[in-house]
């Protein structure tokens, strides 16, 4: 048996403390968490104290010297980059150039021009088999609800219409509300949150979004603009749909609904027996409804997939290894491209915009 791969986590913010450390702890038998890095010594130490309950050997690293130590560590196989959206791509590329496999938090990058530049840099590194894997952490593609929904699409016949309605809860009681980088990010919360909902949409329908026409507005002045987007879209398969996102609503609701010629498939965020997750409901032509609740499992599943990939890649170094496609940087890029097109259309009063292809 190969030794569990050694990994590092860059970042010590809310998501690392509330999600990454607990989810990595659930798969602690598969990996060794060697370092947690932050810009400051203080925040790194706080995160390490939490992680030590599960990974007693984990070490603190901080600042430029700490980052350099991680880059230079020949025994370190993979790194999770969980930083401010503006900083992630440059640091990911530094690590990839040093031969580390990277799983980077979404969004893939702030814009499609930045994605193109990043992909050019990555492709210049990847000139031979066995080069490092660059994953984007998009847990919605790993949620069992969407994995199962994709299979159920065959039961609703020809796709006729798609509706995605997102009424979010990004207000002062949300831990991410005061996150400064999201407020200074192109597209703000719409882009940062929205990539999840687009990822789920693209996965369910199995067709790319070809063009969009959107109206954007700014109503809640405690949020960066825009905070509301209402878009018509057309899929490459010819089907039309609507995507509506309100960043902060008094009664949150998150729903994907696909109407077909033989039935309708709906996925709705909800709660059952104290667990958060999704209800997947299949409505057949005879009025019957079959529904199943799937608790959240995406973060755990995407991390397991990454650990599996980096271990396989290290064992098959010379022959090259095909990593999990759902995590690829390209998939993350395609999510950003859809939202960027919607935001661009909104800034032009609803003009038709074609989605950039990656």
């Amino acid at each position: 048996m190969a030794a569990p791969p050694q990994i590092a986590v860059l970042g010590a913010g809310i998501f690392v403390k509330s999600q990454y450390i607990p989810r990595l702890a659930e798969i602690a038998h598969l990996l060794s968490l060697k370092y947690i890095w932050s810009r400051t010594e203080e925040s790194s130490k706080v995160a390490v104290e939490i992680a030590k309950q599960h990974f007693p050997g984990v070490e603190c690293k901080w600042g430029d010297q700490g980052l350099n130590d991680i880059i230079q560590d020949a025994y370190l196989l993979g790194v999770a980059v969980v930083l401010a959206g503006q900083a992630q791509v440059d640091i990911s590329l530094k690590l990839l150039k040093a031969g580390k496999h990277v799983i980077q938090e979404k969004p893939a990058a702030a814009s499609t021009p930045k994605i193109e530049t990043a992909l050019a840099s990555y492709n210049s590194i990847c000139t031979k088999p066995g080069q490092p894997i660059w994953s984007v952490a998009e847990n919605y593609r790993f949620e069992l609800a969407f994995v199962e929904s994709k299979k159920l699409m065959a039961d609703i016949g020809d796709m006729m219409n798609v509706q995605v309605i997102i009424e979010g809860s990004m207000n002062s009681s949300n831990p991410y509300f005061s996150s400064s980088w999201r407020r200074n990010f192109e597209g703000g919360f719409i882009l940062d949150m929205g990539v999840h909902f687009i990822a789920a949409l693209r996965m369910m329908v199995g067709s790319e979004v070809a063009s969009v026409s959107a109206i954007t507005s700014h109503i809640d002045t405690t949020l960066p603009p825009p905070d509301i987007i209402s878009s018509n879209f057309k899929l490459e398969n010819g089907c039309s749909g609507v995507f509506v996102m309100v960043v902060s609503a008094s009664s949150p609701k998150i729903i994907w609904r696909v109407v077909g010629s033989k039935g309708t498939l709906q996925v709705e965020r909800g709660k059952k027996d104290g667990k958060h997750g999704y209800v997947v409901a299949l409505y057949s032509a005879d009025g019957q409804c079959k529904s199943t609740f799937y608790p959240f499992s995406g973060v755990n599943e995407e991390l397991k997939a990454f650990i599996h990939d980096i271990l396989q890649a290290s064992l098959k170094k010379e022959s090259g290894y095909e990593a999990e496609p759902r995590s690829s940087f390209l998939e993350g890029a395609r999510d950003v491209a859809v939202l960027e097109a919607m935001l661009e259309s909104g800034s032009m009063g609803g003009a038709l915009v074609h989605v950039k292809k990656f």
Side-chain angles (χ1 to χ4, degrees), residues 14 226 313:
I14 302 163

Side-chain angles (χ1 to χ4, degrees), residues 322-336:
E322 288 295 317
E324 166 60 69
R326 285 175 291 171
S327 302
S328 74
F329 186 84
L330 270 177
E331 284 296 322
R334 289 168 185 144
D335 298 333
V336 171

Side-chain angles (χ1 to χ4, degrees), residues 33-207:
L33 178 59
K34 195 169 185 183
Y35 307 116
I36 295 179
W37 176 92
S38 181
R39 282 174 306 167
T40 67
E41 180 179 1
E42 185 188 4
S43 58
S44 171
K45 283 184 169 170
V46 169
V48 162
E49 276 314 303
I50 298 167
K52 272 193 166 156
Q53 302 162 39
H54 315 285
F55 302 98
V58 65
E59 296 173 43
C60 286
K61 291 284 176 184
W62 63 89
D64 292 344
Q65 184 55 54
L67 184 58
N68 203 40
D69 292 347
I70 287 170
I71 288 169
Q72 303 286 327
D73 187 333
Y75 297 101
L76 201 65
L77 206 54
V79 183
V81 178
V82 195
L83 300 167
Q86 294 89 332
Q88 295 196 125
V89 170
D90 290 346
I91 287 183
S92 293
L93 285 166
K94 267 185 196 170
L95 291 157
L96 291 160
K97 280 173 187 159
K100 310 290 182 221
H101 300 294
V102 169
I103 183 166
Q104 173 204 301
E105 260 307 311
K106 55 85 203 163
S111 65
T112 53
K114 285 175 180 156
I115 286 168
E116 287 180 307
T117 307
L119 281 169
S121 297
Y122 180 49
N123 292 334
S124 71
I125 302 164
C126 298
T127 52
K128 62 181 191 289
Q131 288 296 81
I133 293 164
W134 192 2
S135 295
V136 169
E138 179 44 79
N139 52 302
Y140 280 46
R141 274 190 268 277
F142 287 84
E143 291 293 350
L144 200 50
F146 296 109
V147 174
E148 290 305 312
S149 298
K150 189 178 169 70
K151 296 175 193 167
L152 291 171
M153 285 292 292
D155 296 348
I156 65 166
D158 296 327
M159 233 185 291
M160 291 161 63
N161 187 255
V162 187
Q163 300 143 42
V164 183
I165 311 293
I166 311 298
E167 295 165 16
S169 55
M170 188 52 66
N171 53 43
S172 57
S173 63
N174 189 302
Y176 299 100
F177 177 77
S178 52
S179 155
S180 59
W181 74 259
R182 288 175 176 85
R183 293 176 167 274
N184 302 319
F185 199 60
E186 294 171 50
F189 286 107
I190 294 258
L191 184 65
D192 177 55
M193 293 161 64
V195 285
H196 280 319
F197 312 124
I198 296 295
L201 162 71
R202 291 179 51 243
M203 181 159 165
M204 271 180 82
V205 299
S207 178

